[in-house]
Each structure stands twice: as C-alpha cells, then as structure tokens.
C-alpha cells in the first residue's frame, strides 16, 4: 500500500489505476504461486511439484492480471479517492537508498530459487544441493538473510534497528499464521472423522470434471467463510481422496483450488476491509473494484488452467 500510494502521489495517476493491477498481481500470488503458504500447503496435500506449480501459476496468472486491468479500466479512472498522507514514506538521509535492481532481486529471490531449482532438475536431474535451494523454507530463509544484508546492513542500518524491523514484520504475519493453523486443525478434524472421504465420494458421483470441482468447492467455502487460505486448504482436504482416480495434473489441481479460493471477496473477508480503509473508498466502491477484481482473477485463472490442461 505505501508503494502504491507513493507511485500515485509522484506520478499524479489515479490511486486505483496504480493499485488495482498491483492487487490483482498479489491475488494471483495468494492463490497460484508458491512459496505463498496456501498454494504451498495445497501442493503438499496433492503431492504436486512446487517448481511446476510455480511455472504453471505464472502462465495462468499473467492473463488473469491483464483481464482484471481490462475489465476495470473505467472503474480505475472513475473512482478517485484521496490517498492517505501517512502512507507516503519520508526519505531518511541517514541511510542509503538501495537501487531498484537490488530491491527487485531481493523481492524475487524466493521465486528465482524455487523456479530455478525446478528448471535445473529438468536439465541436470536430481541433485541434493538443488533440492535444498528449491525447498520453500530454505528459499525464504535465504531471501530474509539477503534482505537483512542488502536492504539493512548495506544501507547503513545497525543490527539493533534491523531487529526492530524484523520484529514488526513477524507481528504483521501473526494473524496469517493463526488462520493457517486454524485451517490446518479443521483439515485434520475432517481427515480423522473421514468427513473428507465421504464428501469426496459424494462429489465424485456428480460427474463434475475434477478441476472445476476443486474450483467450485473452494469458491463455496470462500464465499461462506471469507478466508482464502481456509477455503483453499479445506477444499484441498476434500479433494485429496479423489486425486488418485482423476488422472489430472496435481499442479493444475493446485491452481484450480487456489483460483476458487480467491473468488468473490466480500464483507466477511479481512482483505475487503483492509482495501476499503487503506484506499479510502466506500463499501459500494469496494464491491465495484476489489470484489470484481478478485472474481475476475479467479474466473480467468480457472479458464487458463482448463486451457493448459489440454496441452499437459
């Protein structure tokens, strides 16, 4: 949000014209791309390759982002809220400003490590070092260490200041960790009580294609519960018993589940209210922009997954 507001303030572009495409990209990351927690956890459930999931997710995510920008092009210019001044960062002359290339390198390092490891495995075969570098936990750890050095130590910050930044960052993800743990507990209850198996048996008799079924289940849970993470993990639990009989690529099944988990965000979703408050818009404007954007990304993402399924 501070980045979006800073760009809008400096370029004099409408706030949503900058913000919505960036939010569409973040939605794709949330639903489609490891090492984000939800798609990573779903990939582990389906025994899907994380590298291939990442590559397929990028292929399906780009058209979804472009479609959201196309459908909302008029809305982005019509709704012009005033940006919140407190989100515009002030330059601190005590510290050096990292270059754009360094900032992009640090931000994309997890993707480079996981995606690069998958490509190297195809070229050179299985390799222990490549497996370690492609592990999501190792990739994220290396990225944090790179951020500490390039964005902290090299800019002139002391470790005491860097530790304060890290502490604030950890507190910011605390709620996400609680949501994931809650979803994991619900998943385990469904497994231990055989509810997931029974639901899978019922749904398999409907004759619905597995990719569409995964999307529908995740979408229904998302609309009912609000949390995309809970929707994705719960839908994944329901779909697990069906994976062996579908013959569908588990990587594409991860993407279909993730696409369903981000559809139609409304008033029971925390992201809905974060967007409303940070972008200083009304509930009606939030529905016409944020909700439409999320739904567009979800539907176009599913269509791309179905198209990709024809060639895989």
């Amino acid at each position: 949000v501070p980045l979006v507001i800073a760009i809008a303030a400096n370029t004099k572009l409408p706030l949503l014209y900058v913000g919505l495409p960036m939010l569409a990209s973040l939605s794709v990351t949330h639903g489609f791309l490891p090492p984000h927690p939800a798609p990573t956890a779903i990939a582990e459930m389906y025994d899907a390759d994380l590298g291939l999931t990442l590559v397929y997710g990028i292929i399906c995510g780009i058209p979804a982002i472009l479609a959201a920008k196309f459908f909302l092009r008029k809305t982005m210019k019509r709704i012009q809220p005033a940006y919140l001044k407190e989100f515009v960062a002030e330059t601190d002359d005590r510290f050096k400003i990292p270059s754009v290339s360094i900032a992009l390198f640090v931000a994309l390092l997890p993707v480079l490590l996981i995606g690069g490891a998958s490509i190297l495995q195809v070229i050179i075969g299985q390799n222990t070092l490549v497996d370690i570098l492609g592990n999501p936990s190792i990739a994220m750890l290396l990225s944090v260490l790179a951020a500490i050095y390039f964005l902290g130590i090299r800019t002139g910050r002391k470790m005491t200041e860097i530790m304060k930044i890290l502490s604030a960052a950890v507190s910011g993800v605390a709620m996400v960790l609680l949501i994931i743990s809650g979803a994991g507990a619900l998943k385990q209850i469904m497994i231990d009580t055989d509810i997931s198996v029974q639901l899978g048996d019922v749904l398999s008799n409907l004759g619905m294609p597995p990719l569409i079924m995964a999307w529908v289940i995740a979408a229904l849970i998302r609309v009912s519960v609000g949390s995309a993470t809970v929707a994705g993990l719960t839908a994944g639990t329901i779909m697990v018993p069906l994976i062996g009989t579908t013959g569908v690529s588990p990587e594409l099944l991860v993407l279909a589940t993730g696409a369903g988990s981000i559809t139609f965000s409304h008033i029971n979703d925390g992201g809905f209210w974060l967007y409303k408050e940070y972008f200083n818009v009304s509930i009606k404007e939030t529905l016409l922009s944020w909700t439409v954007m999320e739904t567009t990304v979800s539907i176009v993402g599913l269509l791309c997954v179905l198209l990709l399924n024809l060639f895989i």
Side-chain angles (χ1 to χ4, degrees):
V1 173
L3 178 60
V4 170
I5 292 176
I7 293 172
N10 290 325
T11 60
K12 308 302 181 185
L13 288 169
L15 182 57
L16 297 190
Y17 192 80
V18 179
L20 279 176
M22 187 174 289
L23 290 171
S25 303
L26 291 173
S27 293
V28 165
T29 304
H30 194 291
F32 296 170
L33 304 181
H36 193 280
T40 301
I42 297 169
E44 291 177 359
M45 287 184 193
Y46 294 167
D47 197 25
D49 182 88
L50 281 176
L52 283 177
T53 302
L54 179 63
V55 172
Y56 294 160
I58 293 173
I59 293 173
C60 294
I62 292 174
I65 295 167
L66 295 175
K69 185 177 184 298
F70 175 78
F71 285 117
L72 290 166
R73 63 192 186 282
K74 293 182 180 179
T75 302
M76 290 188 294
K77 294 180 180 179
R78 186 177 69 252
I79 302 174
Q80 297 196 24
Y83 57 82
L84 302 176
K85 303 285 185 184
E86 56 264 38
F87 281 105
V88 180
E90 296 180 359
T91 304
D92 193 333
D93 295 331
R94 296 178 300 161
F95 307 120
K96 298 177 183 178
I97 299 177
S99 65
V100 174
S101 58
I102 290 294
L104 288 174
F105 168 74
V106 172
L108 295 175
L109 188 55
V111 176
L112 294 174
L113 288 172
I114 295 174
S118 180
I119 294 172
L120 282 176
Q121 285 176 347
V122 174
I123 297 173
I124 67 175
Q126 290 293 326
N127 181 281
T128 303
L129 179 59
V130 173
D131 288 342
I132 292 173
L133 293 176
N135 182 281
S137 299
I138 299 297
M140 294 301 290
L141 174 61
L142 292 176
S143 300
V144 171
L145 294 175
I148 290 173
Y149 176 72
F150 288 111
L151 305 183
I153 295 173
R154 272 188 56 171
T155 62
R157 289 174 169 82
K158 296 180 180 179
M159 278 306 299
T160 52
E161 294 173 295
I162 296 173
M163 291 304 294
K164 290 179 181 178
I165 296 172
L166 294 176
S167 297
V170 170
S171 65
V173 300
M175 186 56 65
V176 176
L177 295 176
L178 285 173
I179 291 172
I180 293 173
S181 61
L186 177 60
K187 176 204 74 172
Q188 196 60 44
I189 290 172
M190 296 182 73
I191 291 174
D192 291 343
T193 57
D194 290 332
I195 291 176
S196 60
V197 176
Q198 295 174 36
L199 286 173
D201 291 339
V202 172
L203 292 170
S204 62
N205 294 327
L206 297 178
M208 190 182 297
L211 292 175
I212 296 178
M213 185 189 303
W215 186 91
V216 169
I217 294 172
L220 290 173
I221 298 172
R222 159 70 157 177
V223 173
S224 302
V225 177
S227 169
T229 303
V230 171
L233 294 180
T234 306
T237 303
I238 295 172
M239 289 297 298
V240 164
L242 305 179
I243 293 175
T245 61
T246 61
V248 176
S249 163
E251 292 79 22
L252 293 184
L253 204 58
V254 172
L255 299 182
T257 307
S261 73
I262 59 175
T263 196
F264 200 75
S265 168
H266 60 98
I267 59 173
N268 64 356
D269 177 23
F272 179 95
W273 297 104
L274 286 174
Y275 169 83
K276 177 191 176 300
E277 295 301 322
Y278 285 163
F279 284 84
N280 198 23
V281 292
S282 67
I283 292 178
K284 179 182 177 181
E285 290 171 335
T286 305
L287 289 168
L288 291 174
S289 53
W290 166 264
T291 302
V292 172
M293 179 273 293
E294 289 269 271
T295 306
T296 301
V297 169
S298 173
I299 293 174
V300 174
L302 173 64
L303 294 175
C304 291
V305 167
L306 295 175
L307 182 62
L308 198 58
N309 185 51
L310 300 176
F311 302 97
I312 296 176

